Amino acid sequence: MNEERYGYRVRQALNHGLKDVPPAAARRLEAARHLALSRQKQTVPELVVAGTGMRSGTSGPQGTPYLKQALAALALLVGMWISFYWHSAQYVSELEEVDSALLTDDLPPDAFLDNDIFKWLLDDSLED
Amino acid sequence: MATRRLAGGLIFTLALNMAVAAEPPATVILGTPPQPSWAQLTPQQRQTLAPLAKDWDALENIRRKKWLGIAARYPNMKLDDQLRMQKRMREWAALSPSERDKVRDSYKDFQQLPADQKQAVRQKWEAYSSLPPDERQQVRESGKSSRLLNSGKQSPVSPPVSSGTPQ
């Protein structure tokens, strides 16, 4: 708001001073204006984005943090999934190891199914 | 703020890991990618896992992945082991998760034993399982399992290999 008022005053002052500008200075100013306009064309897109951003207050200063938060959440999810995947791979390979040994052993799984029988077979062999 | 989030994350992870003992942890369930259905298996996998054909599509991803791992080991197994595996596969899959867990735990204990004790347990089991059911109970009640190794009349047991076994 202050900026707008300040700009208005500057414009008033410049308009007021126009009649005092000497013709040579006016030509130089005109040349400078043309130069400025020709350069402005290249920067127009940026100015537009910044301008709408300032006015609506969404995409510029606040839009980027949202994106960062979304990326951080995504990175967290990916990290979690990788850790779960790794955990799963460990777990499954351990199961695979035990089961393939168990299913091919001389002793069938039945021998281990009844804890009492297994202990009876085992304890006695330890006592011998 | 950050520490609160971190604490929340830790509690969440711990909660995921606190599953019922017989069930795989939730992190493992979440981390296991979908596994192929029976129709998607290769002919060789189907041949190896044939005893599971009927139940395959009802198996959880974790168990499918485990069986696929076992199927990959299968060609390198000895013929005897392959036959044994084929014979036991179905019964094994039909056990309840807690039964399988119990068997695995006991088997791990068994694997820790010295070789001669393992051999003694194997021989005793062989003798014990060849008895008729009513005699099994009788033998168990009558005392030590080492009787199984001595009583030649009940079952033909190969001679004990360990010096620690009573002769």
Side-chain angles (χ1 to χ4, degrees):
Chain A
M1 198 60 189
N2 271 338
E3 267 180 35
E4 275 177 25
R5 196 179 300 156
Y6 182 70
Y8 177 76
R9 282 190 180 172
V10 169
R11 200 183 64 173
Q12 292 284 67
L14 286 174
N15 283 342
H16 187 73
L18 263 184
K19 56 180 182 293
D20 300 334
V21 175
R27 276 197 299 275
R28 281 209 305 278
L29 277 173
E30 190 185 1
R33 181 173 174 272
H34 281 297
L35 186 66
L37 283 176
S38 72
R39 295 218 175 144
Q40 192 196 18
K41 274 180 188 163
Q42 295 163 3
T43 54
V44 158
E46 261 183 37
L47 285 175
V48 165
V49 168
T52 49
M54 298 264 268
R55 231 169 277 152
S56 59
T58 51
S59 74
Q62 286 173 17
T64 314
Y66 281 140
L67 185 68
K68 278 183 186 166
Q69 278 179 0
L71 283 177
L74 188 70
L76 180 70
L77 284 179
V78 169
M80 276 171 79
W81 194 80
I82 289 174
S83 113
F84 291 176
Y85 180 82
W86 182 80
H87 191 185
S88 149
Q90 295 280 103
Y91 183 90
V92 172
S93 83
E94 199 180 308
L95 271 190
E96 187 190 311
E97 186 75 36
V98 179
D99 283 13
S100 58
L102 189 64
L103 294 176
T104 54
D105 201 289
D106 294 339
L107 268 185
D110 287 353
F112 304 99
L113 196 53
D114 187 328
N115 257 340
D116 292 342
I117 296 182
F118 181 61
K119 277 187 189 143
W120 177 66
L121 293 171
L122 201 65
D123 280 356
D124 204 57
S125 73
L126 289 171
E127 279 167 22
D128 286 342
Chain B
M1 185 70 176
T3 42
R4 270 178 64 190
R5 275 189 196 169
L6 184 65
L10 280 176
I11 290 168
F12 176 64
T13 314
L14 283 175
L16 281 179
N17 275 306
M18 280 194 297
V20 188
E23 297 295 328
T27 51
V28 170
I29 296 174
L30 288 173
T32 310
Q35 299 295 309
S37 67
W38 184 255
Q40 290 169 323
L41 297 183
T42 65
Q44 200 189 352
Q45 285 172 328
R46 263 184 269 180
Q47 196 186 349
T48 307
L49 301 172
L52 304 173
K54 213 168 54 145
D55 310 314
W56 181 265
D57 289 336
L59 293 183
E60 305 90 344
N61 284 324
I62 294 173
R63 289 173 70 197
R64 287 191 203 179
K65 194 175 173 191
K66 179 206 72 183
W67 281 117
L68 289 175
I70 291 177
R73 291 165 178 238
Y74 189 81
N76 298 323
M77 291 178 185
K78 286 181 286 181
L79 186 64
D80 281 356
D81 288 348
Q82 291 184 346
L83 293 175
R84 249 185 222 149
M85 168 90 64
Q86 289 285 327
K87 234 170 76 181
R88 293 174 183 171
M89 222 180 253
R90 194 160 187 171
E91 274 176 50
W92 179 245
L95 293 179
S96 74
S98 62
E99 283 175 323
R100 281 195 298 265
D101 260 17
K102 199 164 74 181
V103 172
R104 284 186 191 118
D105 283 347
S106 300
Y107 185 67
K108 282 180 201 163
D109 292 345
F110 172 73
Q111 279 185 315
Q112 302 296 315
L113 294 178
D116 56 343
Q117 282 186 14
K118 278 197 229 178
Q119 188 59 26
V121 172
R122 286 194 175 110
Q123 287 175 344
K124 285 187 222 167
W125 172 259
E126 202 181 320
Y128 175 79
S129 58
S130 60
L131 295 175
D134 50 333
E135 275 186 50
R136 288 185 195 178
Q137 187 64 26
Q138 216 176 328
V139 167
R140 279 179 63 196
E141 282 165 3
S142 69
K144 289 182 178 182
S145 59
S146 52
R147 280 164 51 99
L148 290 164
L149 295 176
N150 298 329
S151 53
K153 66 178 174 54
Q154 282 177 328
S155 61
V157 180
S158 49
V161 286
S162 75
S163 53
T165 332
Q167 300 293 314

